[in-house]
Amino acid sequence: MTSSSGASRRQVLAVAAAAATAPLLAGAPAEAKPKQPKTWDLTILGTSDTHGNVYNWDYYKDAEFDDSKQNDVGVAKLATLVNQIRAERKGRATLVLDAGDTIQGTPLATYYAKQEPITSTGETHPMARAMNILKYDAVTLGNHEFNYGLPLLATWIEQLGFPALAANALNAKTGKPAFLPYVIKEVKLGGHGAPKLRVGVLGLTNPGVAIWDKGNVEGRLVFADMVATAAKWVPEMRRRGADLVVISAHGGDSGTSSYGPELPNENPTALIAEQVPGIDAILFGHAHNEVPEKFVTNLTTGERVLTSEPSKWGQRLTRMDFTLTREKGRWTVTAKSATTLNTNTVVEDPAVLAAVRGQHAKTVEYVNRVVAQSSVELSAAESRYKDTPILDFINHVQTEVVTEALAGGEYAGLPVLSIAAPFSRTAVFPQGDVRIRDVAGLYVYDNTLEAVVLTGAEVKAYLEYSAKYFVTLPSGAPVNPETISDPAVPDYNYDVFSGVDYDIDIAKPVGQRVTRLVLAGTDTPVAADARFVVAVNNYRRSGGGNFPGIVKTQVYNAQQEIRQLLIDWAQAKGVIDPADFFVPNWKLVRDGVPVF
């Protein structure tokens, strides 16, 4: 027989064995999992290249802004998106940055720089009013911030309720930063008792300012290489306690420049990410592209740098999201991403509209003033590939101004040529009333008029460089005006001359296209050693576009804005009639046969 105590013991063992192999019963405690580290999140919102757009308004058409893709524009639209995200993230850290080109680009911005300059009136600039409502954390200076001179720029910066950054803009005498290089923002990640994160923001402006606004900055500011400047300041920001480093850079990511190698790279964002360790993300602008999210691997650390560009004019808002952990007092970014949000999905923020309403109304009234009557409708639609009266209007006024200024002087005996570019494909002078906005729509930049002396050889070289605008089309190949130009060359980098007659053969290779270049109204070829005064805008004369031979000492420079000269001419004449200025002097050909 078996004792009861032995049976009981065997039962206990059997139950234990079964329990060891049986699955856990519902409700039984599971094996403890490794403790996951706590995470926090940070959102950085970015704008760039707003270019004086507050309202969703086209001042040249006197109507709500619209384009073929139904984009909207303006800081008022951006503000609505920003406020929505701030509300969504209430209690969690959200920073808002801008990458530059803010105070130039619309008649609204021009009015408060030229007609009623804030330096004279004490008025707050509309872009300061709008951006202060939005409560940015920092803005980087773009190259266009320097268009109206350093006093106006300084006044605008004083009006901002947040810092303006430009680490590589240096005082020419001392070599020290002329503006604030960076800020370190301490933000709380979450509610009561949440840890704080120190976010360093470095601002980099574009070295091309030294060319494009030479008259405003020469002898006062120099512009250091953006990559080298980042390499200098990023470690410094880390030493000063920045847990996360973001660069706000006014330069594209192509690695190329529109000017020659004498200045640092114009578009180095990808190079900064590759070459400078310690950067978490870069908000960039200048190129007017939409880059929702692009990662660039740093060559030293292997870390992936997040980059994003939010298009232009307030059409897009960049959103960068970061996930972070904290261990032993050190922060680590465990995930990051970016996207762009379309402002055409929201209405305009009423507070921003209210802040700028009076200035917007004054600008609308100004640009709708009638300056002249046009005898016929003049359109710029074909100016890229045909000689048109509306582009000749620009060249005629420039020629007339320079000729009168040089009369009786050393250069009075030289023929005066003029250069203009088709800045707009949509500009029109309607038959009848021509308003300021019509003229401004033709000449959309705040350029001033200058003049230099070129030889016949230099004129030909210049025209050959300009003619690279066109794709090569052999004789007999179909011609489509929409695809006749090289997409890599912007319209504003195609210049046409008045004062000489010439043909451009688009069947020939680049550099061999100017097949006929003769003195105006003759069959006499332009001699290589002939001398001409050439009227040109300050952007081109300073090297913008890297055209050959044009960077020379001016023989004329009265600091007169070309747009205003056009308006003044129209007002003085009262009538805009092509018979007064249209001289067809150039054409596109193939083997001598006109293309159009």
Side-chain angles (χ1 to χ4, degrees):
M1 291 180 63
T2 306
S3 70
S4 60
S5 61
S8 176
R9 185 169 179 269
R10 285 194 296 272
Q11 289 171 347
V12 171
L13 292 173
V15 170
T21 58
L24 290 172
L25 298 175
E31 184 178 338
K33 293 182 179 179
K35 185 179 180 181
Q36 295 298 313
K38 182 174 175 56
T39 63
W40 287 268
D41 60 88
L42 167 73
T43 293
I44 296 178
L45 305 177
T47 65
S48 189
D49 296 274
T50 51
H51 280 288
N53 287 280
V54 177
Y55 276 58
N56 184 42
W57 194 256
D58 187 331
Y59 292 93
Y60 305 123
K61 295 179 180 178
D62 197 28
E64 182 176 305
F65 180 89
D66 195 23
D67 65 12
S68 61
K69 296 180 180 178
Q70 285 72 58
N71 287 306
D72 287 346
V73 299
V75 174
K77 289 269 185 172
L78 290 168
T80 299
L81 281 177
V82 169
N83 288 336
Q84 286 181 355
I85 294 168
R86 280 175 171 152
E88 162 206 324
R89 292 182 48 77
K90 188 173 182 179
R92 293 180 290 165
T94 304
L95 297 178
V96 186
L97 307 176
D98 185 89
D101 274 6
T102 303
I103 60 172
Q104 175 277 339
T106 62
L108 173 68
T110 301
Y111 189 88
Y112 288 95
K114 295 288 189 178
Q115 304 304 317
E116 294 186 16
I118 59 172
T119 45
S120 301
T121 64
E123 178 80 72
T124 299
H125 194 283
M127 292 305 287
R129 288 178 181 265
M131 295 176 80
N132 285 341
I133 293 289
L134 204 152
K135 296 180 180 176
Y136 279 82
D137 290 283
V139 60
T140 292
L141 301 183
N143 52 282
H144 282 289
E145 263 66 82
F146 297 87
N147 285 172
Y148 304 114
L150 297 182
L152 188 133
L153 174 56
T155 301
W156 176 67
I157 290 173
E158 290 172 0
Q159 294 174 348
L160 298 176
F162 47 87
L165 311 176
N168 60 318
L170 309 177
N171 183 298
K173 293 181 179 178
T174 67
K176 295 180 179 180
F179 304 92
L180 195 65
Y182 68 89
V183 292
I184 296 180
K185 301 279 294 187
E186 188 172 82
V187 298
K188 184 178 288 188
L189 302 180
H192 180 72
K196 294 179 180 178
L197 177 77
R198 291 168 61 82
V199 181
V201 181
L202 177 69
L204 299 172
T205 193
N206 204 284
V209 175
I211 289 177
W212 305 321
D213 273 301
K214 184 176 181 180
N216 291 329
V217 301
E218 188 174 30
R220 301 176 182 180
L221 299 176
V222 294
F223 296 85
D225 181 86
M226 295 169 76
V227 181
T229 303
K232 172 184 177 179
W233 288 106
V234 169
E236 176 68 12
M237 293 163 69
R238 291 286 186 183
R239 282 193 295 270
R240 291 182 176 243
D243 302 305
L244 187 87
V245 170
V246 178
I247 291 181
S248 176
H250 195 76
D253 66 348
S254 67
T256 62
S257 295
S258 65
Y259 44 72
E262 68 276 6
L263 281 182
N265 196 299
E266 178 184 355
N267 296 297
T269 291
L271 299 174
I272 296 170
E274 282 182 351
Q275 297 177 21
V276 181
I279 301 167
D280 294 288
I282 303 177
L283 171 72
F284 68 101
H286 184 62
H288 289 198
N289 293 327
E290 182 178 4
V291 182
E293 177 188 78
K294 182 179 178 181
F295 285 96
V296 179
T297 301
N298 185 268
L299 300 178
T300 301
T301 65
E303 294 290 330
R304 297 202 311 161
V305 180
L306 175 65
T307 72
S308 181
E309 181 181 18
S311 189
K312 63 183 185 299
W313 305 345
Q315 293 178 356
R316 301 291 185 273
L317 174 72
T318 280
R319 175 174 179 161
M320 294 180 174
D321 290 299
F322 302 84
T323 303
L324 306 103
T325 61
R326 181 175 171 87
E327 186 176 359
K328 296 181 180 179
R330 294 180 64 87
W331 287 99
T332 301
V333 177
T334 58
K336 52 188 172 183
S337 62
T339 190
T340 48
L341 306 175
N342 197 326
T343 58
N344 70 6
T345 62
V346 297
V347 298
E348 293 171 289
D349 179 72
V352 172
L353 295 182
V356 184
R357 182 169 287 119
Q359 295 172 313
H360 168 73
K362 184 176 284 189
T363 303
V364 169
E365 186 276 329
Y366 171 73
V367 299
N368 277 287
R369 294 178 190 171
V370 175
V371 292
Q373 302 290 310
S374 182
S375 61
V376 295
E377 179 179 284
L378 303 179
S379 170
E382 298 179 327
S383 294
R384 298 174 298 119
Y385 49 87
K386 284 185 182 179
D387 193 345
T388 59
I390 200 167
L391 216 59
D392 272 14
F393 169 67
I394 299 172
N395 274 330
H396 175 80
V397 173
Q398 292 183 166
T399 299
E400 191 174 271
V401 169
V402 170
T403 300
E404 290 176 1
L406 298 181
E410 177 184 355
Y411 304 99
L414 298 181
V416 178
L417 314 183
S418 180
I419 300 171
F423 291 152
S424 171
R425 300 187 184 192
T426 58
V428 173
F429 290 178
Q431 184 176 16
D433 289 348
V434 176
R435 293 172 167 80
I436 287 175
R437 62 180 168 87
D438 300 317
V439 181
L442 173 65
Y443 208 98
V444 297
Y445 297 107
D446 300 321
N447 295 330
T448 57
L449 182 62
E450 301 183 4
V452 298
V453 173
L454 297 186
T455 65
E458 288 171 327
V459 169
K460 186 173 189 298
Y462 192 106
L463 284 169
E464 289 285 9
Y465 184 88
S466 184
K468 72 187 180 77
Y469 174 77
F470 299 102
V471 297
T472 303
L473 289 173
S475 293
V479 176
N480 180 352
E482 297 305 311
T483 58
I484 199 170
S485 61
D486 183 341
V489 183
D491 294 354
Y492 61 76
N493 274 348
Y494 173 57
D495 284 352
V496 301
F497 269 76
S498 67
V500 288
D501 297 348
Y502 61 97
D503 294 347
I504 296 173
D505 193 326
I506 59 174
K508 295 188 179 298
V510 171
Q512 303 173 35
R513 291 180 163 177
V514 180
T515 54
R516 176 175 172 268
L517 177 60
V518 299
L519 299 176
T522 75
D523 291 323
T524 305
V526 170
D529 60 353
R531 297 174 76 229
F532 303 91
V533 171
V534 179
V536 61
N537 69 53
N538 66 298
Y539 170 82
R540 190 69 83 226
R541 205 283 313 164
S542 296
N546 202 28
F547 279 66
I550 198 72
V551 181
K552 294 187 174 185
T553 301
Q554 308 98 311
V555 297
Y556 166 85
N557 181 11
Q559 289 292 298
Q560 292 180 292
E561 189 179 289
I562 294 170
R563 183 195 293 121
Q564 192 61 47
L565 290 172
L566 301 178
I567 293 169
D568 292 345
W569 189 95
Q571 284 181 314
K573 295 287 185 181
V575 174
I576 298 174
D577 185 346
D580 293 333
F581 52 79
F582 181 41
V583 180
N585 68 297
W586 69 271
K587 61 183 179 294
L588 300 184
V589 301
R590 291 187 296 189
D591 297 327
V593 178
V595 175
F596 297 105

